């Protein structure tokens, strides 16, 4: 209950000039910001869109194991190194606290990268480039990647996933 009732038909009194100015400014700014989101999505070279499909951890494990068996070329400290051909489906498994396998890719070739987690949410982040994707268990998170520059890239987990989160490091080699 208010202390005193407002005058009847208070809404009929014209808006003060300064208040009108602020309403116009705030409205214009919010419309601009709203339009900036789709505009920057298209022109800002942001992360590409991901495609999702349901896949259990067991199914994803099997697919990853098959992928490793097929294209394995070596091992680094117990983690298999896999060199798949261009345009193929490649798999990367996130688990507390590892990424496997190590991928050996060719520059300027495209790959369909399937990402999933065997336990909790993880974040797929590749250094030194600016890329960041959520890796969710129970889902096959598909990403089409085309590495353009040869080198050694480090995958880090960008979603806090437990006590060993900071040790969760993977690797991608890109050969020219
Ligand atoms: Cu993690």
């Amino acid at each position: 209950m208010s202390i005193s009732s407002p005058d009847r038909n208070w809404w009929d009194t014209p808006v003060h000039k300064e208040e009108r100015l602020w309403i116009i400014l705030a409205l214009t700014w919010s419309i601009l910001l709203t339009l900036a989101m789709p505009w920057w999505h298209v022109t800002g070279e942001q992360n590409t869109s991901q495609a999702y499909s349901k896949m259990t951890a067991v199914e994803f494990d099997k697919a990853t194991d098959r992928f490793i068996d097929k294209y394995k070329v070596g091992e680094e400290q117990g983690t298999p190194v896999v060199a798949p051909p261009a345009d193929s489906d490649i798999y990367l498994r996130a688990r507390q606290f590892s990424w496997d396998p190590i991928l050996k890719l060719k520059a300027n070739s495209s790959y369909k990268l399937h990402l999933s987690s065997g336990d909790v949410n993880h974040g797929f982040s590749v250094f030194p480039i600016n890329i960041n994707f959520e890796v969710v268990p129970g889902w096959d998170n598909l990403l089409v990647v085309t590495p353009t520059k040869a080198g050694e890239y480090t995958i880090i987990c960008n979603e806090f996933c437990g006590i060993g989160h900071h040790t969760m490091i993977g690797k991608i080699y890109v050969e020219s």
Side-chain angles (χ1 to χ4, degrees), residues 8-134:
R8 284 187 69 79
N9 298 344
W10 57 269
W11 50 85
D12 285 340
T13 36
V15 179
H16 191 272
K17 215 170 71 189
E18 277 182 20
E19 191 169 3
R20 190 195 305 270
L21 181 68
W22 280 113
I23 291 171
I24 291 169
L25 278 175
L27 196 67
T28 312
W29 186 236
S30 54
I31 290 170
L32 277 176
L33 287 180
T34 306
L35 292 175
M37 286 188 277
W39 173 73
W40 189 247
H41 177 78
V42 174
T43 63
E45 292 183 355
Q46 294 295 284
N47 287 344
T48 48
S49 305
Q50 230 170 338
Y52 302 87
S53 59
K54 269 203 157 58
M55 197 177 203
T56 66
V58 176
E59 285 170 333
F60 194 84
D61 254 351
K62 279 189 196 152
T64 310
D65 289 339
R66 269 199 305 271
F67 165 68
I68 293 172
D69 286 345
K70 207 166 169 186
Y71 302 118
K72 186 174 168 180
V73 292
E75 209 166 277
E76 267 182 40
Q77 289 165 335
T79 306
V81 181
V82 176
D87 295 315
S88 59
D89 285 272
I90 62 177
Y91 291 82
L92 185 64
R93 175 164 52 193
R95 270 190 299 218
Q96 288 167 318
F97 302 100
S98 66
W99 298 95
D100 88 292
I102 293 170
L103 299 168
K104 219 176 219 180
L105 308 178
K106 285 248 176 294
N108 302 313
S109 298
S110 290
Y111 301 88
K112 282 167 252 154
L113 173 60
H114 299 261
L115 286 156
S116 194
S117 161
D119 37 50
V120 298
N121 281 20
H122 295 282
F124 174 76
S125 208
V126 182
F127 259 61
I129 55 170
N130 179 19
I131 188 169
N132 191 22
F133 284 98
E134 190 77 5

Side-chain angles (χ1 to χ4, degrees), residues 158-170:
N158 223 343
E159 176 74 58
F160 183 75
C161 59
I163 200 78
H165 167 66
H166 61 290
T167 64
M168 189 164 162
I169 290 168

